[in-house]
Amino acid sequence: MDASDIARQMKDKNARPLSLSGHVGFDSLPDQLVNKSTNQGFCFNILCVGETGIGKSTLMDTLFNTSFENFESSHFEPKVKLRAQTYELNESNVRLKLTIVNTVGFGDQMNKQQSYQPVVDYIDAQFESYLQEELKIKRSLYNYHDSRIHVCLYFISPTGHSLKSLDLVTMKKLDSKVNIIPVIAKADTISKSELHKFKIKIMSELVSNGVQIYQFPIDDESVAKINSTMNGHLPFAVVGSTEEVKIGNKMVKARQYPWGVVQVENENHCDFVKLREMLICVNMEDLREQTHTRHYELYRRCKLEEMGFKDTDPENKPVSLQETYEIKRQEFLLELQRREDEMRQTFVQRVKEKEAELKEAERELQNKFEQLKRLHQEERMKLDEKKKLLEDEINAFNKRKSAAELLQAQAFSSSSSMNIKRDKDRKNDTACSMEYSMK
């Protein structure tokens, strides 16, 4: 019991009863609510959890006496997916927006460890969507499509032995988030004695494992008797069929077998009528109310507590939402400032480290430059020495060349003078010879 319930009880105790001396008219409030609800319409969301091919779609078609859009699924889905389909139904001027959510591929994977997680995530996502709409400044809950799951029909395979580990784990994960009604699918595949023992075994295992399934309410005197009786029939053993077979003078929904006919709406054959009556005719509004007041409120409270919102302080005094908001705002600002300081310090530290790295790199480059400079100077000195030696060799070579040329010139001039003298002597001898001959 929370603080609002206590305050409401205190107000009720302080209220003073009075008797009316005449007709006022507020006794028409129930009629006003009925008219308003009828005009507004209703919504109801059903989650069908069970293995592929266990008869989920067929049972939905049989429950609402219509043919929904069904998609066949294989047994080779890589992971569990949820498929939601919404329909507008109308019966006697009462409009119902029905959403059927089917689990595709549930239990078909080799590793079934996380088969339930997509289902849990989907339910939480619908709660979160409604919570976000509630927290808006401009809310439109009147026109908002409430997609929260009101009931989970958990389909159990008719093995006749015990629940599978996957069934127990999944229902344990879901019992605090949704109203669970377990049903034994295809109940015509086991005998009545086996079915009775199977029901007892299932309920025993659910109690021993702490799984909380939906119990039909018995606080309302008008339905207390039938709900109390139906609680003893859980889980319901159901058979679904949209085919009609002629029995006597009327057509009934049934399944035709070589050995006989299983009538869907015959309570001696299965619990389909009990499920339909409890789910739709008697307790649909209670399922909607339990979803809002119990499961959604639990999710909402946990979410607000995670965000730091509380109704009372450590001294058990009431705390307003504004005070909590200011406290969380200050905490957020302090945390933001702390992170900013850490980031600034980290940035400064990294800048210093980078500067040190750059200085070290600069020193290494300077050392390499000095080393290269020394090597350059040494190489230059070597080149200068070689150049000087080469120049000395060139000078010496030029001197030797000049001397050789001089000697050659001298030799050439001496040989030329000797040739000239020889020619003169030859000419003189020739002239003397000619004179002697003339004489």
Side-chain angles (χ1 to χ4, degrees):
M1 183 178 295
D2 56 9
S4 60
D5 294 334
I6 297 175
R8 192 180 302 111
Q9 288 185 0
M10 294 297 294
K11 289 181 179 179
D12 293 341
K13 290 180 180 179
N14 295 330
R16 185 161 59 96
L18 292 176
S19 59
L20 303 178
S21 58
H23 180 263
V24 176
F26 57 79
D27 58 349
S28 65
L29 272 174
D31 297 331
Q32 296 176 34
L33 289 175
V34 170
N35 294 333
K36 180 180 178 181
S37 299
T38 302
N39 293 331
Q40 184 178 357
F42 302 89
C43 71
F44 193 62
N45 306 318
I46 302 176
L47 171 64
C48 299
V49 179
E51 299 175 359
T52 304
I54 204 170
K56 302 186 291 294
S57 301
T58 304
L59 183 64
M60 290 297 102
D61 291 344
T62 312
L63 271 176
F64 292 93
N65 198 20
T66 186
S67 180
F68 296 113
E69 186 180 4
N70 298 320
F71 300 91
E72 293 186 2
S73 302
S74 66
H75 291 272
F76 303 101
E77 295 290 339
K79 59 182 180 179
V80 180
K81 298 182 294 184
L82 278 85
R83 181 187 295 130
Q85 296 170 285
T86 303
Y87 306 93
E88 292 281 352
L89 305 181
N90 198 319
E91 184 180 31
S92 301
N93 295 326
V94 176
R95 292 181 294 107
L96 177 66
K97 182 178 285 187
L98 176 67
T99 300
I100 299 176
V101 183
N102 194 5
T103 53
V104 180
F106 182 81
D108 290 339
Q109 293 75 31
M110 293 294 293
N111 184 6
K112 300 178 176 61
Q113 186 176 2
Q114 297 296 328
S115 294
Y116 61 85
Q117 194 59 46
V119 184
V120 175
D121 294 340
Y122 180 85
I123 296 174
D124 287 343
Q126 311 317 308
F127 284 153
E128 182 65 24
S129 178
Y130 192 88
L131 177 62
Q132 292 301 323
E133 185 66 27
E134 274 193 332
L135 295 177
K136 286 182 179 179
I137 297 176
K138 292 184 178 181
R139 300 185 297 179
S140 58
L141 294 175
Y142 182 83
N143 298 323
Y144 177 75
H145 178 212
D146 187 3
S147 59
R148 295 173 297 176
I149 300 299
H150 298 124
V151 62
C152 170
L153 295 180
Y154 196 93
F155 289 73
I156 301 171
S157 299
T159 59
H161 298 287
S162 61
L163 288 172
K164 299 178 181 179
S165 300
L166 177 61
D167 298 331
L168 287 172
V169 172
T170 303
M171 283 192 277
K172 184 63 177 177
K173 293 291 183 179
L174 297 179
D175 63 356
S176 62
K177 299 178 179 295
V178 68
N179 303 309
I180 301 177
I181 298 179
V183 295
I184 302 174
K186 297 182 178 181
D188 54 341
T189 59
I190 54 178
S191 65
K192 278 193 172 182
S193 60
E194 290 176 338
L195 184 60
H196 180 69
K197 294 178 181 178
F198 191 33
K199 284 187 176 184
I200 296 174
K201 181 69 173 176
I202 289 173
M203 294 304 296
S204 175
E205 290 183 347
L206 292 177
V207 172
S208 61
N209 287 277
V211 179
Q212 300 292 327
I213 64 173
Y214 175 73
Q215 295 290 319
F216 303 119
I218 57 176
D219 51 353
D220 188 356
E221 294 180 358
S222 61
V223 295
K225 185 177 180 180
I226 185 173
N227 280 347
S228 179
T229 303
M230 292 302 170
N231 281 330
H233 287 280
L234 290 172
F236 293 129
V238 297
V239 177
S241 176
T242 56
E243 299 179 359
E244 292 188 348
V245 179
K246 189 174 183 180
I247 304 294
N249 295 326
K250 62 178 182 179
M251 302 295 291
V252 297
K253 289 184 174 63
R255 299 186 71 88
Q256 181 78 50
Y257 293 102
W259 45 262
V261 177
V262 177
Q263 300 179 33
V264 173
E265 296 179 336
N266 189 336
E267 295 192 42
N268 293 323
H269 292 183
C270 68
D271 297 332
F272 173 79
V273 175
K274 297 182 178 66
L275 173 64
R276 183 175 61 186
E277 186 176 2
M278 290 294 98
L279 180 65
I280 300 174
C281 303
V282 179
N283 298 302
M284 179 181 282
E285 181 57 31
D286 184 74
L287 288 166
R288 287 158 40 90
E289 183 180 354
Q290 285 291 322
T291 298
H292 182 76
T293 60
R294 180 186 170 193
H295 301 296
Y296 170 69
E297 283 300 319
L298 176 61
Y299 178 85
R300 175 180 172 274
R301 184 172 71 247
C302 293
K303 273 292 181 181
L304 293 179
E305 287 178 352
E306 288 178 4
M307 295 168 63
F309 293 98
K310 296 181 180 179
D311 294 331
T312 57
D313 59 9
E315 298 179 359
N316 205 23
K317 294 181 180 180
V319 179
S320 66
L321 184 64
Q322 182 66 25
E323 292 177 355
T324 306
Y325 171 76
E326 290 296 334
I327 293 174
K328 295 300 295 182
R329 182 173 178 273
Q330 292 299 325
E331 291 178 356
F332 174 76
L333 293 176
L334 292 175
E335 179 67 16
L336 187 64
Q337 184 64 35
R338 185 184 65 81
R339 290 186 178 182
E340 185 178 354
D341 294 339
E342 288 181 356
M343 291 179 64
R344 185 181 291 109
Q345 293 176 1
T346 304
F347 177 75
V348 172
Q349 182 66 25
R350 289 184 178 179
V351 168
K352 290 181 179 179
E353 293 175 356
K354 197 66 178 178
E355 288 180 350
E357 292 178 1
L358 292 175
K359 289 182 178 179
E360 182 66 23
E362 184 180 2
R363 284 195 296 269
E364 291 179 358
L365 289 175
Q366 186 66 29
N367 293 332
K368 289 183 179 180
F369 175 74
E370 295 293 336
Q371 184 178 2
L372 291 174
K373 188 176 179 181
R374 287 195 300 270
L375 292 174
H376 175 70
Q377 291 177 352
E378 292 176 358
E379 292 292 333
R380 186 173 180 179
M381 292 176 64
K382 291 179 180 179
L383 288 174
D384 291 340
E385 292 178 357
K386 290 182 178 180
K387 182 180 179 181
K388 186 177 181 182
L389 292 174
L390 183 60
E391 289 177 351
D392 293 342
E393 290 179 358
I394 291 172
N395 293 330
F397 175 76
N398 290 331
K399 287 180 180 180
R400 288 196 299 271
K401 181 179 179 182
S402 300
E405 290 177 349
L406 180 62
L407 291 174
Q408 187 177 2
Q410 291 176 357
F412 180 75
S413 59
S414 60
S415 61
S416 297
S417 59
M418 290 178 66
N419 290 332
I420 292 170
K421 184 178 180 182
R422 191 179 296 111
D423 291 338
K424 286 180 177 181
D425 292 340
R426 189 180 299 117
K427 287 180 179 179
N428 293 326
D429 292 338
T430 303
C432 288
S433 308
M434 289 177 65
E435 289 179 359
Y436 180 78
S437 63
M438 287 176 65
K439 287 179 178 183

